[in-house]
Amino acid sequence: MSRYNAKESEAKWQKIWDERRSFEAENTSDLPKYYVLEMFPYPSGRIHMGHVRNYTMGDVIARYKRAKGFNVLHPMGWDAFGMPAENAAMDKKVHPAKWTHANIDAMRGQLKSIGLSIDWTRELATCDPDYYRHQQALFLDFLEKGHVYRKAAEVNWDPVDQTVLANEQVIDGRGWRSGAEVEKRELTQWFFRISDHAQDLLDSLDHLDRWPDKVRTMQRNWIGRSTGVRLKFALVNESGDPATESDHLEVYTTRPDTLFGASFCAVAADHPLAKNLAKSNTEIAAFAEDCRHLGTSEAALESAEKRGLATGLYALHPFDGGKRVPVYVANFVLMNYGTGAVFGCPAHDQRDLDFARKYDLPVTPVVLPPNMTEADFSIGTEAYDGDGTLINSEFLDGLGIDAAKAAITERIEQNGLGTSAVNYRLRDWGVSRQRYWGCPIPVVHCKTCGVVPVNRGDLPVTLPEDVTFDVPGNPLDRHESWKQTRCPKCGGAAERETDTLDTFVDSSWYFARFCGLPDDQPTDTKAVNYWMPVDQYIGGVEHAILHLLYSRFFTRAMRDSGHINLAEPFAGLFTQGMVCHETYRDKMGNWVPADDVVYKDGTAYSMSTDEPVQVGSSEKMSKSKKNTIDPEDIINRYGADTARWFMLSDTPPERDIEWTEAGAEGAWRFTQRVWRVATEQVDELCPVDTVKPNKFSADDIVLRRAVHKTIMTITSDIEGFHFNRAVARLYELANTIQSHKFSKDLGAKWVHREAVEALVRLANPMMPHLCEEAWSRLGHDNLLVDSSWPEADDDLTREDTVKIAVQINGKRRAEIEIDRDCAKDAVEAKVMELDAVRRALEGKQVRKLIVVPNRIVNIVA
């Protein structure tokens, strides 16, 4: 018998699926809908193994749900704006549009070679005017609804990419793309009011029960709800006179109970008080400038040395007028959290303690740990942040922490010193980017009328094509003929907005556009309300905050503007692991490409130099470490089904998987094995649609039980994203079929056909080309892609025996295996014969014996 020819078969069936439009979704159907979507790719020019893994998982779900009788939407598009295209324009002297569309063409062909069941009629690219003109219309809708505003604000500035970054795009103080140290600048920017939705975004996480807990936790932490108090401190100078710079300092604190332990106050470098002082104090001005170069992330702030500069001002304690504490400008206080000012209680906050020790400030404990006395308790190098009772706190002494918070908050409000407050870590989303290759913001700036929206009939505001990238900065700022325009309101001279939108805006609504592609509206509201929410979304956990949180906000804003009727875009979320590979270095420490390495007698060598190489750890595939494997090479060598199979086998999909040549070869061998099992006895099988015989041999029944139990378990595995388990069960089923004694009576022929067809149907979502070819060889006229999922027969999946526990006085003592639904008296007799039961009873009289059928036996003695 011939081997399975992957190259020939895959091209054949991909052509047939396209011709028959097998994967085009209908926006109206009597079938239940299922929308499966993987996070769309950036068109970098080539797909990588991470793409293969991600899209194969989605394809398994799409093909499975289609076979289960769902109307399935499984689209694809391109997240096509962004800095890499501009960098390519500078490096390769090619226009970003030309570079991007060439990459899209290349990657489309590569993705099609994997055999994905994509509805390509809905393909979109965010850089196409047909897409971003609708995004501009949404921007104008949001502007009318108050979801968008413009203000001067301190921003994160990436000096390499020459653009603003949102807080979420600053990773450990560096730009998320360039890796450059981020600086602080004050610019006039456009913002989305995501903070207005903070509580709703937080509360709704409780209902996203098909999202990973780790993602929901990350979003909760990022939203960062806290309850506390806004409290005013009167300010005085060194002489005790009221400060001229400001008469008070307002702080936000979540621990008002520790107020009597305060030993200093601190403000951010950009706090109005610090700015005012910097005008006449060069030392403070220089310190503030240093602070602006410190990373903005929590990790950067926590790891940096805690530094401050005394202002010469003092804050008067609200309840002890004789006590005053120094006010510092400090590098660990953020202007965009709370009020940009804090009071420090060193005894009960590690950051404050580090600061107090550095500047020799008092440390007064005000919370006494349980089971300790004041005489025994002191603070050394570690702050105490646990539970306890208040000490050294006047009217709070003896109270627990919660009671002390309530008491002092009430006293603060009674005395007019402040109010209780809820605060969120979440800041409004700054969407202005100083770059060319992005969606133009559809407003103009008129000296007479101010900021004026572009008329909707003039959308899209398209990017000019004749731009240059020979100098740093935004080319739109230098393009006078594009920049100069007329005001839509008064007709006078005006300038276009030269900032473009953050690319995360592009990806915050594409899933709604996929539902329908109307020419006159951003969404087909009937279609979007039919398909949304996305039933299963698949992508990397690295997007837990950026993309996923933004998309949740954007969907709410679209709902408020009448484009959709729900708030949450993704009902189910799955975050897959990375694809990893060994790393290699030569004797000089340089990275060696993975495809240049060969093993000889257990030693790794470079094929190009024939020199031994050092084998390093297995890490995420990356171009920088040269440990990538080209999917195209694997597909050309083994076939797409082998690549798909390997991506699903061995490793749970939420974990990282290591690519090995041995693993790929093993996957290829199994594809050949499935082919043999399915087709080697095809001429001996009964014809297709032969009526099921009335009798089967004992061996045939054993095979039928194995088949139907496999159908049941693989169905459950796919529903639960346990693809590696499904793969293992297909191995087992192939073994069972091959070991089954094949006879030529009708019953055996019928059972063998049932078994091999089940194997092909169950493997189809993973290896669709091979299974389609095998289905045809088995004599079927219809396409397997149009066939239903096999159903397990309950009578064949139910076990004939069950194991049940035996308890004596509530303690498990034994276990017995009995026939299912065994008679009560027979169960009792068997239990009382057990040696373990006799020993446990030790001659005690049995007062009661309770049998719960097929579950448990309880003995009361």
Side-chain angles (χ1 to χ4, degrees):
M1 99 152 259
S2 62
R3 283 189 172 218
Y4 170 66
N5 187 326
K7 193 165 188 177
E8 179 183 291
S9 180
E10 289 173 0
K12 167 187 171 182
W13 290 111
Q14 287 170 18
K15 184 173 184 292
I16 290 173
W17 294 332
D18 283 345
E19 290 173 347
R20 299 200 184 184
R21 304 167 75 173
S22 295
F23 308 122
E24 292 183 19
E26 297 290 337
N27 283 350
T28 57
S29 174
D30 294 332
L31 299 174
K33 72 92 178 178
Y34 196 88
Y35 186 178
V36 57
L37 181 66
E38 305 91 350
M39 295 178 186
F40 64 170
Y42 181 80
S44 59
R46 300 197 62 80
I47 65 170
H48 51 69
M49 294 310 299
H51 289 130
V52 176
R53 191 183 197 199
N54 190 32
Y55 298 128
T56 296
M57 289 179 188
D59 199 52
V60 168
I61 296 296
R63 288 177 178 273
Y64 164 76
K65 287 294 183 179
R66 187 174 283 110
K68 289 288 284 184
F70 286 84
N71 181 29
V72 174
L73 175 58
H74 187 208
M76 178 61 69
W78 310 96
D79 193 8
F81 273 137
M83 284 303 299
E86 289 199 33
N87 292 337
M90 289 181 276
D91 295 341
K92 299 179 172 59
K93 308 302 181 185
V94 61
H95 194 279
K98 184 177 181 180
W99 183 84
T100 299
H101 284 289
N103 288 349
I104 288 174
D105 291 341
M107 291 179 68
R108 184 192 301 110
Q110 291 176 313
L111 288 178
K112 284 188 173 183
S113 73
I114 304 174
L116 303 175
S117 58
I118 296 292
D119 181 353
W120 287 102
T121 66
R122 299 174 188 249
E123 181 184 7
L124 58 81
T126 60
C127 66
D128 287 342
D130 280 344
Y131 180 84
Y132 70 70
R133 72 184 174 103
H134 295 300
Q135 185 164 297
Q136 290 172 345
L138 288 173
F139 182 92
L140 296 182
D141 288 343
F142 293 0
L143 191 60
E144 288 179 2
K145 291 289 184 180
H147 293 304
V148 185
Y149 67 98
R150 189 169 181 262
K151 71 171 183 178
E154 183 185 75
V155 296
N156 305 306
W157 179 260
D158 187 316
V160 171
D161 283 347
Q162 295 265 309
T163 189
V164 168
L165 302 178
N167 287 340
E168 295 89 338
Q169 294 167 315
V170 180
I171 312 299
D172 295 332
R174 296 180 178 272
W176 74 297
R177 281 197 184 277
S178 72
E181 286 192 13
V182 169
E183 302 171 1
K184 289 291 187 182
R185 288 193 182 181
E186 187 169 286
L187 296 174
T188 300
Q189 300 283 289
W190 288 97
F191 291 86
F192 284 156
R193 295 187 190 274
I194 189 172
S195 64
D196 284 358
H197 297 264
Q199 191 60 52
D200 179 35
L201 290 166
L202 185 63
D203 292 341
S204 297
L205 289 170
D206 293 336
H207 305 292
L208 296 177
D209 51 7
R210 290 180 51 228
W211 280 40
D213 287 340
K214 63 182 177 183
V215 173
R216 293 193 290 174
T217 297
M218 291 168 74
Q219 289 209 2
R220 285 191 185 98
N221 292 341
W222 189 261
I223 295 169
R225 186 184 194 274
S226 64
T227 57
V229 172
R230 284 178 175 261
L231 171 65
K232 294 179 180 178
F233 286 82
L235 291 180
V236 297
N237 58 27
E238 185 73 45
S239 303
D241 298 323
T244 57
E245 291 80 7
S246 178
D247 62 350
H248 73 274
L249 177 67
E250 185 177 47
V251 306
Y252 173 77
T253 178
T254 59
R255 292 296 305 272
D257 55 302
T258 64
L259 182 57
F260 286 95
S263 67
F264 68 92
C265 285
V267 300
D270 291 296
H271 189 279
L273 178 63
K275 287 184 175 181
N276 196 8
L277 291 167
K279 293 176 183 177
S280 57
N281 187 317
T282 57
E283 192 177 5
I284 290 178
F287 180 80
E289 183 61 28
D290 286 343
C291 290
R292 292 188 185 100
H293 291 274
L294 183 67
T296 58
S297 70
E298 289 184 7
L301 292 174
E302 288 300 318
S303 60
E305 179 188 6
K306 309 302 180 288
R307 295 172 54 230
L309 187 66
T311 64
L313 300 180
Y314 295 85
L316 298 182
H317 195 283
F319 298 105
D320 183 356
K323 180 180 179 181
R324 65 183 195 177
V325 298
V327 178
Y328 288 80
V329 180
N331 67 350
F332 58 83
V333 183
L334 290 175
M335 187 60 221
N336 61 5
Y337 181 78
T339 64
V342 300
F343 78 75
C345 178
H348 306 291
D349 182 282
Q350 191 62 45
R351 178 200 62 188
D352 294 348
L353 181 61
D354 294 342
F355 189 82
R357 296 300 189 204
K358 181 178 180 68
Y359 295 103
D360 197 26
L361 298 171
V363 178
T364 304
V366 292
V367 179
L368 181 67
N371 304 317
M372 290 194 72
T373 66
E374 290 188 48
D376 296 330
F377 180 54
S378 63
I379 299 294
T381 57
E382 292 187 12
Y384 176 71
D385 60 2
D387 199 9
T389 55
L390 273 290
I391 57 175
N392 300 321
S393 298
E394 298 186 7
F395 57 88
L396 300 179
D397 285 352
L399 296 178
I401 290 175
D402 289 340
K405 284 182 179 181
I408 197 158
T409 299
E410 181 180 9
R411 188 74 66 94
I412 287 170
E413 292 181 334
Q414 285 176 348
N415 292 355
L417 298 170
T419 59
S420 58
V422 173
N423 196 66
Y424 298 93
R425 180 177 179 269
L426 181 66
R427 303 293 93 189
D428 280 339
W429 176 12
V431 295
S432 295
R433 297 294 179 267
Q434 293 67 41
R435 60 173 175 240
Y436 165 76
W437 194 236
C439 173
I441 296 174
V443 301
V444 302
H445 300 276
C446 174
K447 291 183 178 179
T448 302
C449 306
V451 177
V452 182
V454 170
N455 290 327
R456 291 176 185 270
D458 293 332
L459 299 181
V461 177
T462 56
L463 293 167
E465 295 185 7
D466 54 334
V467 291
T468 59
F469 298 89
D470 50 348
V471 295
N474 183 0
L476 296 178
D477 276 334
R478 305 188 299 272
H479 199 296
E480 289 300 319
S481 63
W482 179 86
K483 184 177 177 181
Q484 301 303 322
T485 186
R486 310 302 297 181
C487 174
K489 191 172 182 179
C490 71
E495 290 188 353
R496 295 191 186 280
E497 173 64 73
T498 58
D499 286 353
T500 54
L501 288 172
D502 180 10
T503 55
F504 280 100
V505 177
D506 309 340
S507 58
S508 289
W509 73 285
Y510 78 108
F511 42 83
R513 181 70 181 165
F514 273 142
C515 297
L517 305 173
D519 185 62
D520 59 339
Q521 293 291 330
T523 64
D524 178 337
T525 53
K526 185 176 180 181
V528 80
N529 291 334
Y530 168 71
W531 286 113
M532 292 291 289
V534 175
D535 295 281
Q536 187 61 66
Y537 200 35
I538 303 170
V541 72
E542 67 271 17
H543 298 294
I545 293 170
L546 289 167
H547 164 58
L548 291 170
L549 187 59
Y550 291 159
S551 296
R552 295 180 64 217
F553 158 74
F554 215 86
T555 303
R556 285 160 167 79
M558 290 178 70
R559 176 196 59 189
D560 295 347
S561 303
H563 295 287
I564 197 169
N565 67 357
L566 48 72
E568 291 296 340
F570 312 121
L573 173 68
F574 186 84
T575 54
Q576 86 284 353
M578 303 293 184
V579 181
C580 303
H581 194 284
E582 287 180 336
T583 52
Y584 311 98
R585 291 181 187 267
D586 61 20
K587 60 185 178 182
M588 302 299 293
N590 300 311
W591 298 109
V592 177
D595 58 6
D596 185 42
V597 174
V598 64
Y599 278 87
K600 301 175 185 177
D601 299 324
T603 301
Y605 288 85
S606 166
M607 290 185 287
S608 58
T609 65
D610 204 32
E611 293 284 333
V613 297
Q614 179 182 353
V615 179
S617 60
S618 178
E619 299 184 32
K620 174 190 172 184
M621 287 187 182
S622 67
K623 293 178 182 178
S624 62
K625 294 181 180 177
K626 299 185 178 181
N627 66 333
T628 59
I629 296 295
D630 190 336
E632 202 166 303
D633 292 343
I634 300 302
I635 292 170
N636 288 336
R637 193 187 319 172
Y638 297 115
D641 285 340
T642 293
R644 292 168 63 108
W645 185 259
F646 183 83
M647 287 294 100
L648 299 167
S649 62
D650 299 331
T651 304
E654 68 274 13
R655 298 182 189 169
D656 294 348
I657 185 173
E658 182 172 1
W659 177 273
T660 65
E661 190 69 22
E665 290 177 356
W668 178 80
R669 285 195 297 271
F670 186 72
T671 61
Q672 295 295 331
R673 188 175 171 204
V674 170
W675 176 251
R676 290 195 304 273
V677 172
T679 61
E680 63 187 351
Q681 293 175 315
V682 66
D683 295 334
E684 303 294 328
L685 302 179
C686 61
V688 173
D689 297 331
T690 298
V691 176
K692 176 183 172 183
N694 293 323
K695 291 185 178 180
F696 298 102
S697 70
D699 283 344
D700 292 340
I701 291 174
V702 169
L703 178 57
R704 292 202 74 211
R705 285 188 178 279
V707 167
H708 284 265
K709 287 178 181 176
T710 303
I711 293 171
M712 178 183 68
T713 53
I714 287 182
T715 300
S716 176
D717 289 337
I718 294 178
E719 290 279 0
F721 266 76
H722 303 304
F723 302 131
N724 59 310
R725 293 186 198 171
V727 165
R729 298 188 207 281
L730 286 168
Y731 276 108
E732 293 170 3
L733 181 59
N735 289 339
T736 302
I737 293 171
Q738 285 192 308
S739 63
H740 177 250
K741 293 181 180 178
F742 183 78
S743 63
K744 296 188 178 181
D745 64 82
L746 180 60
K749 289 183 175 183
W750 192 93
V751 169
H752 201 83
R753 173 175 281 280
E754 179 189 42
V756 295
E757 287 192 357
L759 176 66
V760 169
R761 293 164 76 187
L762 293 171
N764 180 52
M766 292 89 160
M767 299 187 290
H769 309 90
L770 182 148
C771 292
E772 196 74 76
E773 184 71 26
W775 188 252
S776 176
R777 292 290 184 97
L778 286 166
H780 291 277
D781 295 328
N782 67 314
L783 292 182
L784 180 55
V785 74
D786 296 327
S787 301
S788 62
W789 189 253
E791 296 290 335
D793 186 328
D794 291 341
D795 290 337
L796 293 171
T797 60
R798 195 173 69 165
E799 297 289 347
D800 293 331
T801 62
V802 293
K803 290 181 179 180
I804 63 174
V806 179
Q807 290 187 344
I808 299 176
N809 294 334
K811 189 171 183 180
R812 185 186 179 104
R813 294 294 187 177
E815 184 180 82
I816 58 170
E817 185 171 351
I818 58 172
D819 292 337
R820 180 177 291 277
D821 301 324
C822 184
K824 180 174 179 291
D825 55 352
V827 176
E828 292 175 351
K830 189 165 185 176
V831 166
M832 297 309 297
E833 291 173 359
L834 295 173
D835 289 340
V837 170
R838 290 173 178 168
R839 288 195 301 271
L841 287 172
E842 296 178 337
K844 296 176 185 175
Q845 184 178 358
V846 175
R847 290 188 290 147
K848 189 180 292 186
L849 197 155
I850 304 166
V851 177
V852 181
N854 301 321
R855 294 184 62 186
I856 197 168
V857 174
N858 283 308
I859 299 173
V860 181

